[in-house]
Amino acid sequence: MSMLTIQLLLIGLVAGVAGGMFGIGGGAIMVPAMVLLLGMDQKYATGTSIAAQILPIGLLGAVVYYKEGNLNIRDALFIAGGLFVGFLFGALFANQPFITSTTMKKLYGIFLFVIGARYLFFR
């Protein structure tokens, strides 16, 4: 197994643990790790993250949450419908020629900063 393969598996493992604990999309971990640790281009890392999440990766975690009474399947299906269409619009926007990888990095950083500040300082 190559070093890159091991690094990618570790990124997936950390993202999976965070996803199972916090319900965050693995991209909150995977994209920064691929860009900052592996030196991938922002758009390439984003596309790779999306592709990694195509399969029902949250299935085992969802089963645990369901068994504990902490999952509403109806609500999840509505969110999934929005995600299905939203991913299309987001991908179409991000891949416009005027959206550079540098712009993507800045937008992503602002997004994470705003969410983090909201969690830390506001109810």
Side-chain angles (χ1 to χ4, degrees), residues 33-51:
M34 286 186 280
V35 171
L36 300 174
L37 300 177
L38 303 182
M40 286 186 187
D41 176 79
Q42 181 72 28
K43 287 186 180 185
Y44 187 86
T46 300
T48 301
S49 171
I50 290 169

Side-chain angles (χ1 to χ4, degrees), residues 31-76:
V31 172
M34 286 186 280
V35 171
L36 300 174
L37 300 177
L38 303 182
M40 286 186 187
D41 176 79
Q42 181 72 28
K43 287 186 180 185
Y44 187 86
T46 300
T48 301
S49 171
I50 290 169
Q53 296 177 71
I54 289 174
L55 297 174
I57 58 169
L59 183 61
L60 297 177
V63 168
V64 172
Y65 278 91
Y66 181 79
K67 285 182 179 179
E68 295 297 322
N70 294 314
L71 185 149
N72 182 308
I73 293 174
R74 179 184 171 277
D75 291 353

Side-chain angles (χ1 to χ4, degrees), residues 78-99:
F78 280 116
I79 291 170
L83 284 168
F84 187 75
V85 175
F87 264 76
L88 171 64
F89 290 134
L92 288 170
F93 176 76
N95 284 283
Q96 294 300 309
F98 61 90
I99 301 293

